[in-house]
Amino acid sequence: MVLKILIGVLLTAVIVLGFGLPMVAQPASLFEFPIIPGLEEKARIIFFHVPTAWLSVIAFLTSMWYAIQYLRTKDRMNDEKSAAAAGLGLLFTVLATVTGAVWAKFNWGSYWNWDPRETSIFVLLLIYGAYFSLRSAIEVEEKRATLSSVYSIIAAVTVPFFVFIMPRIMSGLHPGAKGDPGGAGPVVEFRMAPGMRMVFFTSLFAFTLLFIWMFRLRIRIAHLESHDHRED
Amino acid sequence: MRRLIRSAVTVFLKDMHSEMRTRYAVSALLMFVLTTISVILFSLGSEGASRDALSGMFWVVVFFAAMSGLSRTFVMEEERGTSMTLQLTASPEAVYLGKLMFNMVLSIGLNAVTVVLYAVFINGFVIGTVSIFLATIMLGSIGLAAASTIIAAIIARANTKGTLYPVLSFPIVLPLLLTVINATRLAADGAILDEALGEFQVLISYIVVILAVSFMLFDYVWKD
């Protein structure tokens, strides 16, 4: 309950501040954003697009974590958690892809450019697609849990190749790609104005809480469903 | 350790023998390569394609050919109902290593044939730096075999044998494919060996990571 209210307050603040704060040439206070040449108002995407992409990675790692736990304990609940995290991951990956593609149309000129990060998120979508098709292909619960756990771990170890190596090999449009004056690498150096930074990190935090809340809801649903199942 | 290797080799030889008897995987792979190359030829018609496009297409042929044949080694055990016997007679590690060796031999052979056919039939495909190309083919075959062996083990246990295999393999193999396509392009353009070193590092680390993870996880897939 407390969590729900906190998420509501934080996300409302992020939406209001993220869209509402004015953009001026020389930001004087914390409540004014600087105008970034070439981006202008479009810079506001960072408050929403980056957190969804962040959550898709968090969800992916959570799914892998519970997959490992399942293989260790063989407790069916861990498999439910792994699947629930993967489901949320799929949702946020789609959100990140769609918001990014719409934004790219207006800023980079086309919906899709096969920039390294776009390639990575595309692969993440493929992995989730494959993961859920594998799950739907197996009827026996225990077998499904084991095989999909193994698959999600294997998929998870190949993802760093995209996230870390590909952006450095290919040139791209996102910050942190090869040829970026701020330096290439997965960790982009922060050159954000203090006001934007405040809203950005609040947003990141709020989205993470949102993930935790949605994840717990899903687990509860899965738990109730399996309980009903046992009583039949 | 010695016993593990001996028993892995035995599994490998067993697979080789049964392959020699039916030649199922080999003929499937060969026919697949032939059909795909002729499809490329017919679709190109009299027009040539750029060297970049041709070096990419080479790996399209290799990937889909591998997807048609490399799952055979595990699916066969399930179909014949021999997987139980194999579980009793050999340790999971030995089974994995044996099957891996079999798939590596198969995929290296497949790539060698594909290179020859591709070079003979497709005119625009010229390699500038042979050393880069050979190293790419070797590392690419090993990587492809490494990734597809564990996916084949998963797929053999699932109810759908064939259809899901490329779907599951593609995201896993994609880092490998992107890198080998890049390296093949470098080889076609006649780059010096040093320029492709980054690609080789990626390929080698990919192979090591996939092998290590498969080796650890195979136990869970194999045992009932």
Side-chain angles (χ1 to χ4, degrees), chain A residues 207-221:
Chain A
F207 268 87
T208 312
L209 289 184
L210 182 70
F211 174 74
I212 295 171
W213 176 60
M214 288 172 86
F215 183 62
R216 294 214 318 221
L217 267 186
R218 285 201 151 209
I219 297 305
R220 235 164 67 198
I221 293 169

Side-chain angles (χ1 to χ4, degrees), chain B residues 34-47 57 117-118 120-123:
Chain B
L34 258 182
T35 11
T36 336
I37 290 182
S38 43
V39 167
I40 290 177
L41 272 176
F42 294 140
S43 58
L44 285 177
S46 53
E47 286 174 48
M57 259 186 262
L117 288 176
Y118 208 76
V120 168
F121 286 120
I122 298 194
N123 292 323

Side-chain angles (χ1 to χ4, degrees), chain A residues 172-214:
Chain A
L173 300 158
H174 275 88
K178 183 178 162 190
D180 184 14
V187 183
V188 183
E189 196 199 331
F190 270 93
R191 285 158 297 170
M192 221 185 261
M196 289 183 88
R197 201 180 301 186
M198 179 188 72
V199 179
F200 176 70
F201 281 114
T202 316
S203 176
L204 219 51
F205 181 63
F207 268 87
T208 312
L209 289 184
L210 182 70
F211 174 74
I212 295 171
W213 176 60
M214 288 172 86

